[in-house]
């Protein structure tokens, strides 16, 4: 598993560490996560790897919420996405390397290339590129991909490995 934390060697007082955890947990947009990370860097210097992992995980959590992704679970060699809005997830997986298979209206299995799964930090970077970057760049706004009324039943889609 990917673990993110703020070590006491980075932020010395428990009170200030807890404040950063609270701020990160309350972020509701990628911009808010970026602002908190910037504040942390301004106050304490460049973050150690464990703190950067925490920020990256917060970005993923925030992006997942905006894209209505309920969960992402690794069951190698697949990542299982559970979503409330297939219409928001499908455009992001459509051109992703690997193969995506829609199981039902809420579940997609994505089998990325094997080298995306190891080391685990690579998987985190891939997920950020897949889910966070489009939101940051404004390419895939959640409000722009609302499902059409009377949308067709989910279809089974396979993509080239």
């Amino acid at each position: 598993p990917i673990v993110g934390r703020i070590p006491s060697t980075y932020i010395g007082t428990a009170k200030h560490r807890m404040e950063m955890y609270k701020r990160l947990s309350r972020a509701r947009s990628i911009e808010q996560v970026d602002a908190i990370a910037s504040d942390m860097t301004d106050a304490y210097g460049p973050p150690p790897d464990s703190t950067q992992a925490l920020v990256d995980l917060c970005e993923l959590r925030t992006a997942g919420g905006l894209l209505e992704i309920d969960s992402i679970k690794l069951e190698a060699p697949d990542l299982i996405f559970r979503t409330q809005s297939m219409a928001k997830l499908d455009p992001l997986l459509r051109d992703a390397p690997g193969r995506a298979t829609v199981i039902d209206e809420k579940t997609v299995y994505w089998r990325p290339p094997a080298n995306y799964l190891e080391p685990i930090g690579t998987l985190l970077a891939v997920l950020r590129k897949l889910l966070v970057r489009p939101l940051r760049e404004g390419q895939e706004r959640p409000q722009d991909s609302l499902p059409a009324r009377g949308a067709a039943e989910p279809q089974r889609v396979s993509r080239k490995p």
Side-chain angles (χ1 to χ4, degrees):
I2 301 170
V3 178
R5 65 184 197 90
I6 303 171
S8 60
T9 54
Y10 181 55
I11 299 179
T13 63
K15 178 182 176 183
H16 291 135
R17 278 194 310 280
M18 289 307 296
E19 182 59 33
M20 281 300 165
Y21 281 123
K22 284 179 189 176
R23 289 181 64 198
L24 285 167
S25 72
R26 292 177 181 156
R28 296 291 174 251
S29 71
I30 301 299
E31 293 78 15
Q32 287 176 341
V33 175
D34 289 344
I36 295 163
S38 178
D39 290 349
M40 208 169 7
T41 299
D42 290 348
Y44 304 102
D49 291 345
S50 63
T51 304
Q52 187 58 55
L54 176 66
V55 171
D56 294 348
L57 288 166
C58 287
E59 284 181 340
L60 272 179
R61 177 191 48 80
T62 302
L66 293 169
L67 295 167
E68 297 183 45
I69 296 170
D70 295 325
S71 67
I72 303 171
K73 182 178 180 182
L74 175 61
E75 283 189 14
D78 296 314
L79 282 168
I80 303 168
F81 290 83
R82 302 233 190 267
T83 182
Q84 294 299 311
S85 177
M86 195 64 69
K88 292 179 184 180
L89 183 59
D90 183 63
L92 301 174
L93 293 175
R94 185 176 300 132
D95 296 322
R99 184 180 73 231
T101 305
V102 175
I103 303 301
D104 58 38
E105 67 275 358
K106 294 183 181 230
T107 309
V108 177
Y109 278 58
W110 179 50
R111 182 165 295 176
N115 62 328
Y116 284 20
L117 300 175
E118 294 292 334
I120 197 72
T122 300
L123 180 57
L124 180 58
V126 167
L127 286 171
R128 286 180 64 235
K129 182 177 180 180
L130 185 70
L131 303 175
V132 176
R133 183 187 290 174
L135 291 172
R136 180 172 277 130
E137 294 173 353
Q139 295 171 356
E140 174 57 32
R141 300 269 180 200
Q143 64 271 20
D144 294 342
S145 353
L146 294 174
R149 288 180 184 240
E153 198 171 299
Q155 50 186 313
R156 188 171 174 87
V157 179
S158 292
R159 290 165 185 85
K160 293 185 242 175

